[in-house]
Amino acid sequence: MVIIIVAVIGICRNASGEATETRLPYRTGNHLQRVRKFFTTADGLPGDEIQGVTVTRDGIALAVASNQVARLENGTWQVESEFGGVSAVFASREGPGAVIGSTKGVASWAENRWRVEEGSPQDVMAFAAEPHGVIWALAPSGVWRRDAGWKLINKIEDDVLAQPHGFLPRGSNDVLLAAETGLFSLVGKRHYWLGFEIRPGGLLSSRARAIAALDENHFLVATDKGLNLSNGDRGWQSFTGAEGLPVLDIKHIAVAPDGAVWLGSEQGLIEWREGKWSYFESKRWLPDNEVTSIAPAPDGSVWVGTRKGLGHLYDRKLTLAEKAAILQRDLENRDRRHRYVTQMEFRKPGILEGAMQEISDNDGLWTALYIASQCFRYAATKEPAARDQAWRSMQALLRLESITAMPGFPARAICRTNEPQFATRSLRSDSEWHESAVEPGWYWKGETSSDEIDGHYFGWHVFFELAADEAQKEQVRATCKRVTDHILGHGYYLVDQDGNPTTWGFWSPDRLNDDPRYWEERGLGSLEILSHLKVAMRIVNDPRYERAYHDLIRNHQYALNTIPAKLAHGVAFDNQLLFLAYYPLLQLEKDPALRAIYLESLNRTWNAVRIEGNPVWNFIYGASTGGPCDVEAAVQSLREIPLDFIHWRMHNSHRADLAVAHGKPLPWTNRVIHNWDSNPFDLDGGSDMSEGDQTVWLLPYWMGRWHGLIE
């Protein structure tokens, strides 16, 4: 018998463009990107506090605010001014129209106007429909049913059934009512309200806030202690934090045509779809966290009324390439000071207009990551615009070294004296800001750290290998030589203008190996300087660098030092420094023995952080090893990261579901947009006063594309 084995292989590239065999690129395809749009009085709504919202079967959105009803037409809300005193609005899935409750009674839409229906109840609080579409109304006078006409089914007994919130008709004489005093069913020949028992395994609480049908056999009840699912008999299921419900005190329920369940609370919006819970809060998703009404639409979107406006959450079908184009456009549309790329700072919360780019302590690092993203983009697509973007920012990166007039010492940041930031930051009084001796009218910031140096070498390496022409290579080569000579000439220290090493600019054996106070920096520092020397060997080709590289390995065990570089209790920002050093080192080092040592270090580091699903970590691991790198998790992160990069204030520490032990970071829908040096496990944060740098997404995407890990 002959066995034929067919292997499916593809092509992966290292940073020098050499092809290696690997699996075929992961097919990313289309994904649904959740986005939102807000509406307020500025868009024509009669008020910002939304009392009710609904969507007709034909997709017409109606909202109630300030006791008036408005309909959305061509992106603007038109108020039906001839009809006031509106208290509720409802559209049945079974019919094309809608009804409203008002002080005059129930009105329906006919012949382009609202007409009050004869004999209908006044001041309706809520509407609902039987499974086959017959509409009911809940009013102070009781529960009503509309068939041939309006009929009062039963009054509400205030002494028993206080503060009704919602109801669910299940037949012509069968209705459930949720109230502050319990869940009640209309029973008996004479019609009276019978309350459900509160018991373990049954209804969670007597405070029943809302009720809705999941299908003809099951209904959902919202309480202040969680959510119940029942068939009305002995079958009851509870959902609390242990089952994944983020907020227990639920006040609104709406079931979408596609089966998704939407829950509203005073702490945001919750979606339950196909067994998965999703949580939406903060101005990333809602005008305000206090949800007042919910209306799923036939197109799969959902309208959410709040105290401060109306939100529309919907999905955009995108490929990752289309998402890349959107984020690239957003990044380029910002006012990038002097071609550096960092976050934007707002004058007003959440408002991009008038935003200014920050002067950070890591302008070089963040800009270098952007340069790398554009180099990978150019290598993958050959788009001239990507190469131009990389070179423009590379010139800014090189300038950080030349402006100091200290050969080989790059500044953290620069600022012109006529910039607004110069005055607001009082740069003249900050001892780390210095007037440039070579560029009059400019200041530069010292105390440069190893973070910055990591970024420079990483950016130089990727640009030199993938995007630079010969003239550009010469400029990079000259700067790389001066910086490397500075570090070697000062005994592996980065020495500032005052003649002292900077706080974190050290890679010397006497500090890393011999000073017990710095043992925690030993692995990272050793990895960094070996990577930097390897880059310098490639770009400058000076034999001194190779001698220094091998001296550190032979006489100071720097290669061995790298193995435990990832400390069990290490801080999050060290992860970025580690991976930025691994990438050039493992792309350039060809010696099998040294590669074995460095790969052992990389494996230990990656296994410690792989739970994060970080696309940068995963793709660097894949590009360095040629092995599996959890590409699916990386792609999931690229899909989840929002299009909106504003640092919206997020709050998750109150969530009931997080009381249950979990080891993964929250989905990106619930995280503050953050750089890769931040802690992905943080539950709360954000300020609404800045926008993140889209390089966070662009770097891993284009890296994955170039290395053949994703299509």
Side-chain angles (χ1 to χ4, degrees), residues 332-396:
E332 293 179 20
N333 283 346
R334 308 299 183 247
D335 183 14
R336 297 295 174 191
R337 51 184 303 276
H338 319 309
R339 300 171 181 169
Y340 297 104
V341 178
T342 62
Q343 72 178 27
M344 303 298 294
E345 295 180 335
F346 299 158
R347 297 179 180 180
K348 296 180 181 179
I351 304 299
L352 273 165
E353 184 179 358
M356 296 187 297
Q357 185 170 292
E358 69 162 351
I359 301 174
S360 81
D361 276 355
N362 298 105
D363 279 9
L365 170 60
W366 306 132
T367 301
L369 298 186
Y370 175 64
I371 292 167
S373 78
Q374 299 308 288
C375 294
F376 288 126
R377 175 186 165 205
Y378 174 71
T381 67
K382 299 305 178 185
E383 295 177 16
R387 187 179 186 182
D388 292 344
Q389 287 286 328
W391 175 235
R392 281 195 288 270
S393 287
M394 177 55 75
Q395 289 174 288

Side-chain angles (χ1 to χ4, degrees), residues 38-39 48-53 64 165 209 247 249-253 263-270 279-294 303-311 313 649 651 654:
F38 295 166
F39 298 91
D48 287 339
E49 184 171 343
I50 307 302
Q51 298 163 264
V53 62
V64 177
H165 295 303
R209 301 294 180 65
V247 177
D249 193 352
I250 306 299
K251 296 191 173 181
H252 305 276
I253 305 176
L263 309 172
S265 74
E266 292 184 353
Q267 295 175 303
L269 179 74
I270 300 160
Y279 181 49
F280 303 91
E281 63 94 33
S282 88
K283 288 188 177 179
R284 172 180 288 170
W285 301 115
L286 302 173
D288 183 69
N289 278 346
E290 187 172 351
V291 175
T292 59
S293 52
I294 308 171
W303 294 83
V304 187
T306 75
R307 296 291 182 191
K308 296 181 180 179
L310 182 64
L313 277 65
R649 193 183 304 274
H651 183 63
H654 65 282

Side-chain angles (χ1 to χ4, degrees), residues 311-585:
H312 185 207
L313 277 65
Y314 57 98
D315 292 325
R316 290 181 62 179
K317 183 179 285 188
L318 291 175
T319 64
L320 292 186
E322 290 169 336
K323 187 170 182 177
I326 293 169
L327 294 177
Q328 185 72 38
R329 178 201 65 204
D330 288 348
L331 184 146
E332 293 179 20
N333 283 346
R334 308 299 183 247
D335 183 14
R336 297 295 174 191
R337 51 184 303 276
H338 319 309
R339 300 171 181 169
Y340 297 104
V341 178
T342 62
Q343 72 178 27
M344 303 298 294
E345 295 180 335
F346 299 158
R347 297 179 180 180
K348 296 180 181 179
I351 304 299
L352 273 165
E353 184 179 358
M356 296 187 297
Q357 185 170 292
E358 69 162 351
I359 301 174
S360 81
D361 276 355
N362 298 105
D363 279 9
L365 170 60
W366 306 132
T367 301
L369 298 186
Y370 175 64
I371 292 167
S373 78
Q374 299 308 288
C375 294
F376 288 126
R377 175 186 165 205
Y378 174 71
T381 67
K382 299 305 178 185
E383 295 177 16
R387 187 179 186 182
D388 292 344
Q389 287 286 328
W391 175 235
R392 281 195 288 270
S393 287
M394 177 55 75
Q395 289 174 288
L397 187 69
L398 299 177
R399 187 182 177 196
L400 289 174
E401 186 265 342
S402 64
I403 199 172
T404 67
M406 297 173 57
F409 186 90
R412 282 185 177 271
I414 63 175
C415 186
R416 193 173 178 83
T417 54
N418 62 1
E419 289 185 73
Q421 292 97 322
F422 184 83
T424 57
R425 285 177 173 256
S426 303
L427 302 190
R428 290 183 188 276
S429 60
D430 187 332
S431 62
E432 297 302 338
W433 281 92
H434 312 286
E435 190 171 4
S436 175
V438 293
E439 294 192 39
W442 289 85
Y443 275 66
W444 58 271
K445 188 172 187 180
E447 179 63 347
T448 305
S449 71
S450 61
D451 305 34
E452 288 294 284
I453 301 303
D454 262 27
H456 284 261
Y457 278 93
F458 177 78
W460 295 337
H461 165 70
V462 179
F463 181 73
F464 190 91
E465 300 293 345
L466 300 183
D469 61 26
E470 288 305 316
Q472 293 163 352
K473 285 184 177 181
E474 188 55 41
Q475 293 189 50
V476 172
R477 181 178 292 115
T479 302
C480 179
K481 177 176 172 55
R482 288 194 294 272
V483 173
T484 309
D485 287 349
H486 174 102
I487 293 171
L488 293 182
H490 290 90
Y492 296 106
Y493 284 92
L494 190 65
V495 176
D496 211 332
Q497 181 172 268
D498 59 5
N500 295 314
T502 65
T503 302
W504 295 106
F506 59 85
W507 303 271
S508 64
D510 67 315
R511 181 70 61 88
L512 295 180
N513 285 343
D514 302 334
D515 192 330
R517 295 173 299 175
Y518 291 94
W519 71 270
E520 290 186 333
E521 306 302 322
R522 185 176 302 147
L524 173 59
S526 298
L527 179 69
E528 286 177 335
I529 193 60
L530 292 177
S531 180
H532 302 342
L533 287 169
K534 201 68 182 178
V535 170
M537 289 160 60
R538 164 68 176 163
I539 293 176
V540 183
N541 194 27
D542 188 325
R544 291 185 305 141
Y545 305 155
E546 185 169 6
R547 289 196 297 270
Y549 178 78
H550 288 292
D551 175 67
L552 292 175
I553 293 171
R554 291 173 184 143
N555 300 318
H556 303 285
Q557 67 270 352
Y558 268 37
L560 293 178
N561 286 352
T562 68
I563 292 178
K566 174 60 182 172
L567 301 176
H569 62 283
V571 292
F573 57 76
D574 278 353
N575 295 336
Q576 177 171 266
L577 302 181
L578 286 165
F579 279 94
L580 293 184
Y582 282 128
Y583 181 80
L585 182 60

Side-chain angles (χ1 to χ4, degrees), residues 80 302 599:
E80 310 290 351
V302 63
L599 287 172

Side-chain angles (χ1 to χ4, degrees), residues 153-282:
I153 300 300
N154 206 54
K155 293 182 179 180
I156 295 176
E157 303 164 8
D158 292 341
D159 58 333
V160 176
L161 203 163
Q163 297 183 48
H165 295 303
F167 70 127
L168 174 63
R170 301 196 295 173
S172 59
N173 283 289
D174 184 3
V175 62
L176 301 175
L177 198 151
E180 198 67 15
T181 50
L183 176 66
F184 296 86
S185 176
L186 192 64
V187 299
K189 183 177 179 181
R190 297 182 182 179
H191 284 175
Y192 66 95
W193 297 107
L194 182 65
F196 282 75
E197 178 187 10
I198 312 302
R199 59 179 174 81
L203 186 62
L204 284 165
S205 170
S206 62
R207 303 181 74 179
R209 301 294 180 65
I211 186 169
L214 183 63
D215 57 24
E216 291 192 18
N217 300 310
H218 302 89
F219 60 86
L220 295 152
V221 183
T223 77
D224 62 325
K225 294 183 179 179
L227 183 70
N228 279 120
L229 173 63
S230 177
N231 64 357
D233 297 318
R234 294 186 178 183
W236 287 82
Q237 174 63 49
S238 299
F239 295 95
T240 62
E243 289 73 38
L245 182 65
V247 177
L248 301 185
D249 193 352
I250 306 299
K251 296 191 173 181
H252 305 276
I253 305 176
V255 180
D258 62 5
V261 175
W262 294 92
L263 309 172
S265 74
E266 292 184 353
Q267 295 175 303
L269 179 74
I270 300 160
E271 179 187 24
W272 184 41
R273 182 184 295 273
E274 298 178 350
K276 179 184 177 182
W277 299 94
S278 300
Y279 181 49
F280 303 91
E281 63 94 33
S282 88

